[in-house]
Amino acid sequence: MRGACLILAILVLVCSLSFSQQSNIPPGSTATTVSTPAKLSGCLMNINGTFYLLTANRERFMLKGKHNAMFSHNGQQVEITVKPDKDSSAHGSPTTLTVTHIEQVAQ
């Protein structure tokens, strides 16, 4: 168990230090204000069966959809096309987004 936690901590650290692209969502806005598909870049992580995207701005988004595609990119730098989740609360943390396309940009 301790080894798994250590691996997860190292993965998060490596992902947060190795970002090469920024989000296409303007600073200060959140993905829940985007009504059309938007592109985000970051590190894709699976934690207890739930996928998250950690961006260079240290934002964390919970992801839905394209589950099999996300499994194949777990722990990698990706660029995803998303749309806001209809059921996501603007006050919730983290924001939930629905993935419509995913592409690996780095390992």
Side-chain angles (χ1 to χ4, degrees):
M1 182 66 176
R2 183 176 179 201
C5 290
L6 181 60
I7 290 171
L8 181 59
I10 291 170
L11 178 64
V12 170
L13 178 63
V14 167
C15 287
S16 65
L17 294 176
S18 64
F19 288 109
S20 62
Q21 295 184 352
Q22 298 290 325
S23 164
N24 286 342
I25 297 176
S29 68
T30 64
T32 56
T33 62
V34 177
S35 60
T36 59
K39 288 189 177 186
L40 292 170
S41 295
C43 184
L44 182 67
M45 299 184 307
N46 181 351
I47 302 173
N48 295 329
T50 302
F51 282 96
Y52 295 92
L53 184 76
L54 179 62
T55 70
N57 300 335
R58 298 184 182 230
E59 295 174 295
R60 186 176 62 158
F61 299 97
M62 187 182 314
L63 304 175
K64 292 174 46 177
K66 301 283 185 183
H67 201 72
N68 289 336
M70 286 192 283
F71 261 119
S72 65
H73 294 294
N74 188 31
Q76 298 174 349
Q77 292 283 333
V78 296
E79 180 176 272
I80 58 174
T81 304
V82 296
K83 62 181 180 179
D85 186 47
K86 296 175 196 169
D87 299 330
S88 181
S89 168
H91 304 299
S93 179
T95 301
T96 302
L97 302 172
T98 301
V99 176
T100 59
H101 180 75
I102 185 168
E103 186 175 324
Q104 177 181 342
V105 293
Q107 287 196 13

